[in-house]
Amino acid sequence: MNIERDSNYELEQSEKRKKNRKTKSAFYQSVWRWHFYAGLIFAPFLIILAFSGAVYLFKPQIESFLYNNQYYVQQADSEAISANEQLAKVSEAYPDSTVTSVTYYEEANRTTEFALSDQGVMKTVYVNPYNGEIAGEIETDKKFTEVFKKLHSELIIGGTVANRIVELAACWAVILLVTGLYIWWPRNKASIWGTILPRITSEGRTFWRDMHAVPAFWLSVFLLILIATGLPWSGVLGEQINRVATSTNTGYPDYAQSWAEKPESVVKTKDVAENVPWAAENLDVPLSVANGYVPLSLSDAAFIAENEKIEKPYTITMPQGDTGVYTIATSHSTPWDDATLHVDQYSGAKLTDVRFADYGLLAKSITVGIALHEGRLFGFMNQLIGLFVCMGLIGLIVSSFIMWKKRKPEDRVGAPPKAKDKKVSRTVFVIMLIFGVLMPLVGISIIIVYILDRFVIQKFEPLRKWFS
Amino acid sequence: MKRLIFLLVGALLLAGCNVQENDPVGNQPERVDGAIILPDKAEPEDTVELKTVVTQGEEQVADAEEVKFAVWKMGSEEEAIELKAVHEQDGMYAAATEFNEEGIYFVQAKIDAREQHVRPLMQFIVGELTEEEIQEFMNSKQKEEKNDAEEGHEHHHH
């Protein structure tokens, strides 16, 4: 008896409310319908994001295991050879390559990483810092974790469109959370069963409904944090957040990011070179073969890095062109250690030095958020929580799928029926549009779906029936 | 959008004091720099004066902790010799050395002053260069230039 009643819980509830408070019921109906369609469309993407994210969380452990031979040296007792000597070994082994950056790690048994472009292929070459032997190489695109990163940010296919779809799914996940919480919200005679604890003894749709709604409630805060910390680096919304940060002066100061704009090295006049007697008489020699300032070597840059209290691992990026700079940056440890230094390539003078403390308030929160999102803010526990949330999300989607299957008629998609009250439908639509303004991609997607529905689906009877 | 702005303005007001303190890049001490002064020309066995003028902004730095010169011939950096420079006047530090053979040398001033480290590096030619040396030099130069042209964009983040 009980089970029977429970399984008809939602229906009964809405029936009841229809009699009493028609509007409220229509509102519920309408929100549920949005929740249903949004879930149906974005579930596959959210599964991809959760799965790839769960794997990528453990990047340090996975890479250490997979690339043990490249990453670690057998013995680390003697003194390391200089950066220049290591660089020379790399140039010897890869004569046609261009080294773009070098990364040093804290652990004594870790190899030095030389990122290079070898005839157009980006790869990383690992050098034993004690004897200069090449421990191995990995092509950047083929790195195991790189694949998951690409899946997580660009669905493997890559490009702007894929990236926008990922952002769209993340934004819709926010709406799913909000609408879901509304549906979950206990209405009359609140009971802990079915709200904060599942009715495990129930069967059928009620059981699966509880398996969806109850854990979703528990996970909602974590999911929201995960989405909120991921969005700042998205293409559209992230850009907006950046603009707000800049205009409120709470963002990143200039030259805070190693991949962004850089200051320039001062090219000192090589006035001594103007009167080189032999240059005129001997050969047709350009002025560069003369007295004058020349770029510093990698060893000099490494020396400067060591003197600047920068936490390892840090990366030294080579200067590009005459006015280029050496960039020393770290952002892979905990966020408090973030540092980006630009160093004049001719004198080694520090041009800029931006640390975490120099960031604006919003930039600080974004930086901490990113570390939290990537599971490196508070160590292994952070990774575990991330994994738990990802698995939970996949679980939610599975339970919702089963719940839907149990309700779905053969010939139709089985969406919750449209609310009878047109005014309520419109109100909910306007609320969704507000979300659409906050998250521009959501707005665009709503408009597209609206047009599609209005001019395509409603015009074809079979489609109309299926979606009804 | 409006709501977002309100929210952020609120956050900003709360963080008001914080923002004030946040002077991007401005709170760093002025940069120490060193200019190397070498004669236009030198022959083997000549005694050559190596000089560097250390400045911080407009100010001449007479109180450097240490100023050294490292000198090496192209291709044999590991045989570099180091010379301690002494302060002469107005931030000018000097040392003297002899270059034994003709060729391309490097002279680097290693300046540690006011908790900063600068090491400007200069190329210095002694005597006449053989055609071979010029060729070798040009080759290394060309590779460098090729490198600069080849370097792609560094992709970051997601």
Side-chain angles (χ1 to χ4, degrees):
Chain A
M1 273 309 276
N2 240 339
I3 297 158
E4 192 58 30
R5 208 190 66 195
D6 281 342
S7 63
N8 287 319
Y9 183 74
E10 261 149 28
L11 242 155
E12 243 176 51
Q13 290 300 307
S14 56
E15 285 294 327
K16 234 188 236 170
R17 255 171 276 119
K18 231 175 243 165
K19 281 173 200 155
N20 305 338
R21 289 166 284 183
K22 263 189 180 167
T23 328
K24 239 185 170 178
S25 160
F27 199 75
Y28 175 94
Q29 202 72 25
S30 188
V31 171
W32 184 16
R33 199 171 152 86
W34 276 90
H35 185 82
F36 172 82
Y37 274 118
L40 197 62
I41 295 168
F42 291 103
F45 298 104
L46 294 176
I47 288 178
I48 292 174
L49 288 180
F51 171 67
S52 56
V55 175
Y56 195 71
L57 268 173
F58 292 90
K59 173 184 156 138
Q61 288 93 334
I62 294 171
E63 288 191 343
S64 291
F65 175 74
L66 282 180
Y67 306 127
N68 189 55
N69 292 338
Q70 286 97 327
Y71 278 16
Y72 297 100
V73 296
Q74 295 301 321
Q75 266 188 320
D77 41 11
S78 49
E79 198 153 307
I81 62 172
S82 78
N84 280 359
E85 286 169 284
Q86 294 183 40
L87 179 62
K89 293 279 188 186
V90 173
S91 300
E92 205 177 287
Y94 297 86
D96 292 322
S97 72
T98 309
V99 172
T100 51
S101 69
V102 184
T103 304
Y104 293 94
Y105 287 86
E106 182 67 57
E107 303 99 305
N109 62 342
R110 190 78 190 255
T111 51
T112 313
E113 282 185 22
F114 285 78
L116 51 86
S117 151
D118 190 15
Q119 288 150 349
V121 181
M122 300 301 292
K123 49 175 87 158
T124 309
V125 172
Y126 300 84
V127 179
N128 181 330
Y130 302 99
N131 58 17
E133 268 171 28
I134 311 277
E137 62 157 68
I138 303 171
E139 278 183 35
T140 310
D141 286 344
K142 292 187 179 148
K143 218 171 177 180
F144 180 76
T145 40
E146 204 63 23
V147 174
F148 282 89
K149 181 171 150 188
K150 210 170 168 204
L151 184 60
H152 196 70
S153 63
E154 300 180 316
L155 308 169
I156 295 285
I157 34 177
T160 314
V161 176
N163 180 268
R164 295 293 181 272
I165 292 174
V166 169
E167 184 180 345
L168 189 63
C171 290
W172 273 102
V174 175
I175 296 182
L176 280 166
L177 270 174
V178 176
T179 53
L181 277 174
Y182 175 81
I183 300 165
W184 162 88
W185 200 265
R187 283 175 179 76
N188 33 20
K189 64 161 186 168
S191 160
I192 54 164
W193 302 103
T195 52
I196 58 173
L197 288 175
R199 290 161 286 186
I200 326 173
T201 50
S202 61
E203 272 171 36
R205 215 161 70 75
T206 310
F207 174 79
W208 290 106
R209 179 261 170 214
D210 279 12
M211 281 296 129
H212 178 70
V214 175
F217 157 71
W218 286 110
L219 281 175
S220 57
V221 176
F222 294 94
L223 282 168
L224 202 61
I225 290 171
L226 209 56
I227 298 165
T229 52
L231 281 175
W233 60 45
S234 65
V236 178
L237 197 59
E239 209 38 58
Q240 268 193 0
I241 294 170
N242 257 333
R243 229 173 293 139
V244 171
T246 312
S247 63
T248 54
N249 206 13
T250 56
Y252 292 96
D254 288 345
Y255 310 122
Q257 282 143 330
S258 59
W259 66 91
E261 207 190 336
K262 299 180 178 197
E264 290 188 344
S265 286
V266 183
V267 181
K268 289 177 185 152
T269 47
K270 299 172 180 174
D271 48 1
V272 262
E274 276 158 23
N275 46 6
V276 187
W278 54 265
E281 62 199 50
N282 266 351
L283 296 144
D284 189 20
V285 176
L287 286 178
S288 64
V289 194
N291 299 347
Y293 289 99
V294 288
L296 301 181
S297 69
L298 180 63
S299 284
D300 288 320
F303 166 82
I304 288 155
E306 271 162 35
N307 273 286
E308 291 295 346
K309 296 189 190 74
I310 304 166
E311 289 294 321
K312 283 175 180 171
Y314 58 72
T315 299
I316 301 177
T317 308
M318 302 294 191
Q320 291 187 37
D322 287 341
T323 57
V325 289
Y326 275 109
T327 300
I328 306 162
T330 177
S331 61
H332 297 290
S333 27
T334 43
W336 339 110
D337 297 328
D338 268 20
T340 303
L341 278 70
H342 293 294
V343 171
D344 189 296
Q345 64 163 318
Y346 301 103
S347 70
K350 252 194 304 175
L351 299 175
T352 61
D353 180 351
V354 180
R355 310 282 173 133
F356 182 79
D358 302 318
Y359 295 176
L361 186 72
L362 202 54
K364 276 181 182 163
S365 0
I366 291 171
T367 309
V368 173
I370 287 173
L372 182 73
H373 189 98
E374 290 188 328
R376 54 185 168 81
L377 189 61
F378 47 92
F380 189 57
M381 203 55 208
N382 193 168
Q383 290 177 310
L384 274 190
I385 292 172
L387 177 68
F388 178 71
V389 177
C390 288
M391 303 301 277
L393 178 57
I394 294 173
L396 292 183
I397 296 171
V398 170
S399 60
S400 68
F401 185 78
I402 296 171
M403 189 165 58
W404 171 52
K405 273 288 174 203
K406 287 195 175 294
R407 192 190 59 225
K408 186 186 173 301
E410 281 292 318
D411 56 337
R412 268 172 299 148
V413 71
K418 260 184 199 163
K420 293 260 158 46
D421 193 335
K422 282 269 186 295
K423 236 161 103 191
V424 171
S425 293
R426 218 168 296 141
T427 312
V428 175
F429 189 74
V430 169
I431 292 172
M432 291 299 157
L433 282 180
I434 293 171
F435 278 116
V437 174
L438 289 173
M439 301 178 282
L441 282 182
V442 168
I444 295 168
S445 66
I446 290 176
I447 291 166
I448 291 173
V449 170
Y450 179 78
I451 292 171
L452 209 67
D453 179 56
R454 189 77 197 272
F455 296 103
V456 181
I457 295 170
Q458 298 302 330
K459 300 278 185 243
F460 295 97
E461 191 49 34
L463 272 179
R464 203 187 62 79
K465 191 173 170 241
W466 201 74
F467 278 110
S468 66
Chain B
M1 197 62 214
K2 252 187 195 157
R3 219 182 275 181
L4 185 69
I5 288 168
F6 281 136
L7 214 92
L8 288 164
V9 167
L12 181 68
L13 286 176
L14 282 171
C17 324
N18 231 332
V19 175
Q20 287 299 311
E21 287 165 26
N22 224 308
D23 184 15
V25 205
N27 50 5
Q28 284 160 26
E30 203 161 355
R31 217 151 71 217
V32 169
D33 206 351
I36 299 176
I37 301 167
L38 298 172
D40 288 352
K41 204 172 176 327
E43 294 299 328
E45 314 290 321
D46 282 357
T47 299
V48 176
E49 271 237 275
L50 314 173
K51 292 178 182 169
T52 179
V53 178
V54 183
T55 50
Q56 186 174 31
E58 298 288 300
E59 191 196 342
Q60 284 143 347
V61 176
D63 58 358
E65 287 139 49
E66 189 174 49
V67 178
K68 288 183 293 186
F69 283 102
V71 179
W72 67 94
K73 200 171 180 201
M74 189 166 106
S76 40
E77 196 184 342
E78 53 289 357
E79 288 157 36
I81 52 157
E82 279 203 350
L83 305 155
K84 203 166 159 42
V86 288
H87 183 236
E88 290 197 328
Q89 54 171 359
D90 304 331
M92 184 188 287
Y93 297 77
T97 190
E98 259 177 40
F99 296 89
N100 300 328
E101 322 162 23
E102 296 191 320
I104 301 172
Y105 283 83
F106 289 101
V107 176
Q108 184 166 35
K110 297 188 169 180
I111 302 159
D112 299 332
R114 306 196 171 166
E115 290 171 0
Q116 296 186 41
H117 311 273
V118 279
R119 14 240 326 110
L121 174 63
M122 220 177 205
Q123 171 180 304
F124 186 60
I125 288 146
V126 175
E128 305 282 318
L129 295 184
T130 64
E131 216 167 307
E132 207 176 303
E133 277 171 315
I134 292 172
Q135 206 50 54
E136 187 193 340
F137 180 80
M138 293 310 294
N139 285 345
S140 69
K141 206 70 187 171
Q142 253 167 19
K143 180 150 192 255
E144 225 168 80
E145 265 155 36
K146 200 187 96 210
N147 285 0
D148 284 340
E150 241 181 38
E151 266 168 48
H153 294 281
E154 194 193 346
H155 285 294
H156 227 278
H157 259 294
H158 292 220

